[in-house]
Amino acid sequence: SKILYKEDVAVIRFSDQTSKVCVNKQSLQLHELADVLGDIWLYRSSKSVVLISGKPGCFLAGADSNMLQSCTTSEEVTSLCEEAQKLFRRIEQSRVPIVAAIHGSCLSRGLELATACHYRIATKSKETVLGTPEVMLGLLPGAGGTQRLPKMVGLLGAFDMLLSGKNITADEAKKMGLVDQLVDPLGPGLKSPEERTMEYLEEVAVGVANDLANKKIPLTREKKLWDAVMGLGPVRKMMYSTITKRVQKQTKNLYPAPFQIIECVKTGIEQGSDAGYLAEAQSFGKLVMTSESKALIGLHNGCLLCKKNRFGPPEKEVKKLAILGAGLMGAGIAQVSVDKGFTTILKDTTEDAISKGYEKVYKSFDTKVKKKAMISFERDAIMSNLSIQTDYSGFESADMVIEAVFEDLNVKHKVLKEVEAVTPPHCIFATNTSALPIRDIAAASKRPEKVIGIHYFSPVDKMQLVEIITTDKTSKDTLAAAVSVALKQGKIVVTDGPGFYTMRCMGSLFMESLRLLQEGVTATKSDFLATSFGFNVGPFAVTDEVGVDIGLHISEMLCKAFGSRYEGGSLEIVKTMVEKGLKGCKSGKGFFLYGKTKSVNPEVEEILKNHQVTAPSAISSEYDMQYRLLSRCINESLMCLQEGIIASPLEGDIGAVFGYGFPPMHGGPFRFVDTFGADRLVSLMKRFEDVYGNQFTPCQLLLDHAKDPSKKFYESSPSLLQY
Ligand SMILES: *[C@@H]1O[C@H](CO)[C@@H](O)[C@H](O)[C@H]1NC(C)=O
Ligand SMILES: *[C@@H]1O[C@H](CO)[C@@H](O)[C@H](O)[C@H]1NC(C)=O
Ligand SMILES: *[C@@H]1O[C@H](CO)[C@@H](O)[C@H](O)[C@H]1NC(C)=O
Ligand SMILES: *[C@@H]1O[C@H](CO)[C@@H](O)[C@H](O)[C@H]1NC(C)=O
């Protein structure tokens, strides 16, 4: 960090030479800050201080999660926290007023530092966000965040921030009392807008620092309504219990961090600061060591890796996309494409279909305008890059065509041939099929090296994952181009070999759930077995959402491809359901009825009467049933790695969590095996195998790991693994 005196004000700049985004080399930077401030306090060399980042874009980044992971005991982590807490408390108690000047992200430790200061000024830039995202990594703010926030923004405001981890804009922060003053960002001049904004911010902050020192601005915060409310013991008590109940419901008691956050806040308020800080440092130490936090941090790091193009830039950058099929999927893909600056054609066969597609895309941006997240000029500029049409004009300059047409091989072949006839030789043909092997689609191609699968998940704008599927003919350059497109669309990308990773895992979960139904377990109970493990929705609710007919189609394909291994429940049940029009949410009923409340569909119960099987008494506990579901889907994941369908455990975990909702606190099937123990899982599966047969035979990879407990999918440090 650099220090600069502007008359009576010391301007301290954080800077970090080593990285473009400011990564906090924690102890080093904080020590430096401690030294600099120590001198100021000792020699009274200035009357006030401004803290500002030397790099625009980020005030001060949070603690480095890899560094935390390198600590081996919670005591070690606790003492790191205490060090930071001590410094921040000294800042808070400084007689020399300290102003935080914020431009860019001010998250985690950055926010904790800012809140320890006496006054906060933030730019109104879009990049300026404040927040405490630690909870999303299974942690809590460990440098006083749980202690200061309630005093600044009230109990409810603080719980909202701490428990959601959401980003808060500068405007919101001002309203909440999290920042004291806003400044407008500047446009370009002789220097870049960023530089000009930083300079202006610094100038304003220096002025405020002077005013604070000269008592022109009072140091005490004005009393807010919640100060009075917080003063009432019974009201606080009620708040703690309401919040705790809400968190129990939301987390199903599966995540420890939110409860620790509530405890720390409560301890600080009810027992005083010293007790609060101690609780915070100790809780942080404990949380860092939990499997939940390790899993969430692993996923976080994994996502960062999957947001990089590990295949290098393609020979020719993809600029122009054409999308075939303007249905929900096609329109969704068009939306994320124009949004990120691709020139995009949306084609379907009828005027009606394309205008509906256009409407959908337009509406998505218009909603942003209404929410003031975008101005109407931006909306119109983006929409001007989207053309809708029923013919192939313009395809002669397309770099990539993504088809999302009806799932029928003949239709796909017809479309592929038409497209190849009108597109240039370098144009890539990407198919969003979920049920047909890409290889079979590519069989009709003149340029099979240009054919690839890009598997979007519905709804495209919300689901972060994209699976990219290659065949043995797909060229490396085609892969690199497809990955670059998906990344530019803002997606997390995992690459698969031929096959359908997420589909296979989800399918096996579904087949075993069907079997449970036949054994007399209700659909509600069956879904509960999955949700109580941490899935957001159970397999039957998912199938109703996706469509029972589509579920049937996929299951049939899987059974055809994998034979008896895929069996379990009887697909006849699902066939009869489709025949009777029970197609899930879209037809109003499926496994469940969707009236005012969701309930089991009696028609399905009726169908089940013809498919009952007796449950073997050896395997009937809730635990057993739960692990029947899980072990099948986990075994399937491992098999995909064994078969080379997925490239690494990390991609398998990311695909599972973001593709079919594998519970994040378990980190994905591979990390789960590491944590739970392969040997434990194998012995469970062997018991199931004795009763049910080869659907429960553990795969070789799982057996290998069970035999040798030192074999893990993840080494101690989760980042960069296997790459
Ligand atoms: C919050 O903002 C940061 C920095 O801009 C960003 O990396 C992060 O993804 C955002 N988080 C959420 C939940 O939007
Ligand atoms: C429209 O497309 C062009 C060419 O791909 C791109 O340069 C431009 O940024 C896009 N416009 C918007 C508003 O995204
Ligand atoms: C595209 O892929 C999604 C995700 O599997 C699938 O739900 C959808 O049916 C596919 N759509 C088309 C038209 O290929
Ligand atoms: C696990 O994999 C093996 C193949 O190695 C297979 O035979 C078995 O059926 C699979 N089990 C489950 C539960 O999917």
Side-chain angles (χ1 to χ4, degrees):
S1 59
K2 276 194 192 147
I3 182 158
L4 191 106
Y5 287 92
K6 292 200 167 170
E7 292 171 33
D8 288 338
V9 184
V11 178
I12 299 177
R13 292 212 182 98
F14 290 90
S15 60
D16 175 25
Q17 320 306 2
T18 54
S19 127
K20 214 166 137 207
V21 203
C22 60
V23 172
N24 176 14
K25 294 276 172 299
Q26 196 194 26
S27 43
L28 186 122
Q29 273 206 344
L30 288 182
H31 277 140
E32 275 184 355
L33 180 61
D35 289 347
V36 173
L37 286 172
D39 283 352
I40 290 174
W41 289 322
L42 188 65
Y43 302 115
R44 299 172 191 275
S45 49
S46 71
K47 288 191 184 153
S48 58
V49 173
V50 168
L51 293 184
I52 189 166
S53 168
K55 283 241 158 66
C58 171
F59 178 65
L60 170 74
D64 182 354
S65 61
N66 289 325
M67 195 208 71
L68 290 177
Q69 301 257 307
S70 69
C71 294
T72 49
T73 65
S74 52
E75 288 74 21
E76 234 176 290
V77 182
T78 299
S79 74
L80 277 177
C81 280
E82 284 175 328
E83 218 176 287
Q85 283 180 345
K86 214 158 75 194
L87 172 62
F88 290 1
R89 288 181 88 178
R90 284 183 67 198
I91 290 176
E92 187 174 36
Q93 286 153 7
S94 163
R95 281 167 192 274
V96 179
I98 301 176
V99 176
I102 303 160
H103 176 62
S105 61
C106 178
L107 304 169
S108 327
R109 194 128 305 182
L111 184 71
E112 292 181 282
L113 173 58
T115 50
C117 296
H118 302 98
Y119 200 91
R120 283 148 296 280
I121 305 174
T123 62
K124 271 164 95 170
S125 150
K126 265 189 191 163
E127 277 108 73
T128 300
V129 287
L130 300 92
T132 50
E134 286 89 343
V135 69
M136 297 196 269
L137 298 180
L139 300 172
L140 49 75
T146 65
Q147 304 303 302
R148 281 192 194 92
L149 279 176
K151 292 186 190 136
M152 290 191 75
V153 301
L155 205 46
L156 286 182
F159 277 136
D160 187 33
M161 284 180 71
L162 292 165
L163 296 172
S164 73
K166 70 182 178 191
N167 283 345
I168 290 172
T169 64
D171 279 319
E172 289 165 336
K174 174 76 172 59
K175 269 187 217 135
M176 295 167 68
L178 195 58
V179 303
D180 302 287
Q181 190 177 329
L182 297 178
V183 303
D184 282 309
L186 298 186
L190 282 177
K191 294 179 179 170
S192 74
E194 284 277 321
E195 280 173 284
R196 276 168 37 94
T197 300
M198 289 300 282
E199 281 175 10
Y200 177 51
L201 172 66
E202 185 176 309
E203 196 181 305
V204 175
V206 167
V208 168
N210 261 323
D211 289 350
L212 285 167
N214 300 331
K215 309 221 158 37
K216 278 195 210 150
I217 299 177
L219 266 174
T220 47
R221 187 170 63 81
E222 61 183 293
K223 288 260 179 248
K224 298 261 164 78
L225 182 63
W226 61 68
D227 289 314
V229 178
M230 288 249 305
L232 304 170
V235 176
R236 291 198 304 266
K237 228 171 159 184
M238 210 176 66
M239 281 186 188
Y240 301 137
S241 101
T242 314
I243 300 268
T244 307
K245 277 193 202 117
R246 194 192 307 156
V247 168
Q248 272 164 346
K249 203 167 154 217
Q250 280 168 354
T251 65
K252 305 179 196 92
N253 281 331
L254 293 169
Y255 293 87
F259 297 101
Q260 297 284 327
I261 289 173
I262 298 173
E263 264 322 295
C264 290
V265 169
K266 190 170 155 188
T267 307
I269 292 173
E270 306 303 327
Q271 296 171 35
S273 293
D274 288 341
Y277 281 106
L278 184 63
E280 185 187 81
Q282 288 179 340
S283 300
F284 191 92
K286 272 187 233 147
L287 286 173
V288 168
M289 297 296 144
T290 57
S291 62
E292 288 85 355
S293 168
K294 291 195 160 94
L296 294 171
I297 290 175
L299 283 173
H300 175 77
N301 291 344
C303 283
L304 294 181
L305 284 176
C306 292
K307 283 187 171 177
K308 292 200 183 105
N309 192 343
R310 34 213 191 284
F311 304 97
E315 274 163 36
K316 190 172 184 316
E317 191 195 343
V318 175
K319 290 190 176 144
K320 185 167 177 182
L321 288 179
I323 295 154
L324 302 179
L328 204 59
M329 210 22 103
I333 302 170
Q335 178 193 330
V336 298
S337 305
V338 278
D339 189 25
K340 296 292 154 53
F342 287 106
T343 316
T344 308
I345 297 174
L346 185 59
K347 177 191 176 302
D348 208 319
T349 46
T350 66
E351 289 289 339
D352 187 45
I354 53 172
S355 57
K356 274 195 188 130
Y358 185 88
E359 270 310 300
K360 260 184 226 132
V361 181
Y362 181 85
K363 226 174 123 191
S364 70
F365 293 116
D366 198 45
T367 312
K368 284 194 185 165
V369 174
K370 293 208 173 95
K371 284 190 189 153
K372 297 211 161 63
M374 182 182 268
I375 54 174
S376 53
F377 171 76
E378 284 174 281
R379 175 199 60 203
D380 298 341
I382 290 173
M383 286 307 285
S384 71
N385 270 350
L386 177 69
S387 63
I388 49 168
Q389 56 197 55
T390 52
D391 61 13
Y392 282 108
S393 61
F395 276 59
E396 68 282 354
S397 57
D399 300 308
M400 181 186 281
V401 174
I402 303 175
E403 69 80 12
V405 300
F406 188 64
E407 295 267 20
D408 175 282
L409 194 58
N410 291 327
V411 178
K412 300 258 187 206
H413 278 170
K414 178 167 167 280
V415 164
L416 173 68
K417 284 186 184 137
E418 283 173 10
V419 166
E420 285 187 345
V422 291
T423 51
H426 77 272
C427 182
I428 292 165
F429 185 86
T431 168
N432 166 64
T433 183
S434 51
L436 301 165
I438 318 283
R439 201 182 323 118
D440 296 355
I441 297 175
S445 170
K446 284 189 297 192
R447 316 190 275 260
E449 74 283 0
K450 295 283 178 198
V451 178
I452 197 164
I454 304 190
H455 197 169
Y456 292 89
F457 291 77
S458 187
V460 182
D461 57 329
K462 300 259 156 54
M463 296 290 283
Q464 296 185 66
L465 189 74
V466 162
E467 262 181 300
I468 292 188
I469 303 154
T470 53
T471 73
D472 46 8
K473 297 232 173 73
T474 309
S475 74
K476 283 264 173 303
D477 187 55
T478 301
L479 173 61
V483 170
S484 75
V485 167
L487 289 174
K488 192 167 161 191
Q489 288 168 335
K491 301 297 176 191
I492 302 169
V493 179
V494 296
T495 53
D496 298 356
F500 296 90
Y501 170 62
T502 51
M503 219 46 96
R504 278 173 62 171
C505 303
M506 225 164 29
S508 56
L509 195 69
F510 178 70
M511 292 308 274
E512 199 56 31
S513 304
L514 263 187
R515 172 84 185 203
L516 284 176
L517 277 194
Q518 291 175 269
E519 291 178 5
V521 177
T522 64
T524 312
K525 177 71 184 281
S526 213
D527 272 5
F528 171 77
L529 293 173
T531 54
S532 61
F533 180 71
F535 279 93
N536 251 339
V537 262
F540 292 123
V542 169
T543 309
D544 274 359
E545 257 167 53
V546 174
V548 177
D549 48 343
I550 292 174
L552 175 65
H553 190 62
I554 294 170
S555 307
E556 281 176 334
M557 179 199 80
L558 290 170
C559 286
K560 210 164 94 193
F562 301 109
S564 69
R565 183 162 75 69
Y566 242 86
E567 282 165 15
S570 161
L571 275 185
E572 291 302 314
I573 302 166
V574 191
K575 252 186 225 156
T576 317
M577 282 177 68
V578 173
E579 277 158 20
K580 295 198 169 190
L582 312 179
K583 291 189 185 167
C585 299
K586 61 187 168 192
S587 62
K589 48 191 178 174
F591 287 96
F592 298 102
L593 290 180
Y594 296 88
K596 275 205 187 90
T597 56
K598 193 172 104 182
S599 60
V600 169
N601 185 354
E603 284 178 81
V604 178
E605 308 263 276
E606 210 38 57
I607 298 172
L608 278 170
K609 282 191 181 146
N610 299 325
H611 299 276
Q612 275 166 346
V613 293
T614 18
S617 57
I619 294 166
S620 57
S621 73
E622 210 167 87
Y623 181 83
D624 280 349
M625 291 196 267
Q626 190 171 48
Y627 278 89
R628 270 167 61 189
L629 300 179
L630 291 172
S631 58
R632 285 198 64 179
C633 117
I634 290 169
N635 180 73
E636 199 62 39
S637 301
L638 265 60
M639 269 185 77
C640 287
L641 182 66
Q642 194 179 297
E643 291 172 3
I645 303 289
I646 48 174
S648 65
L650 181 65
E651 282 177 279
D653 279 348
I654 299 274
V657 170
F658 293 95
Y660 66 94
F662 195 94
M665 87 292 280
H666 296 301
F670 294 92
R671 187 178 290 277
F672 179 76
V673 171
D674 277 358
T675 318
F676 185 79
D679 48 344
R680 262 174 89 197
L681 195 60
V682 163
S683 61
L684 272 172
M685 288 175 75
K686 290 215 158 134
R687 248 179 64 223
F688 302 157
E689 186 187 12
D690 287 344
V691 177
Y692 290 100
N694 86 344
Q695 300 102 303
F696 286 103
T697 316
C699 71
Q700 193 55 47
L701 193 55
L702 192 53
L703 289 172
D704 292 348
H705 277 240
K707 225 184 283 157
D708 178 2
S710 70
K711 261 201 172 140
K712 297 272 179 199
F713 291 111
Y714 289 91
E715 304 303 328
S716 54
S717 158
S719 52
L720 291 168
L721 166 111
Q722 311 281 337
Y723 276 91

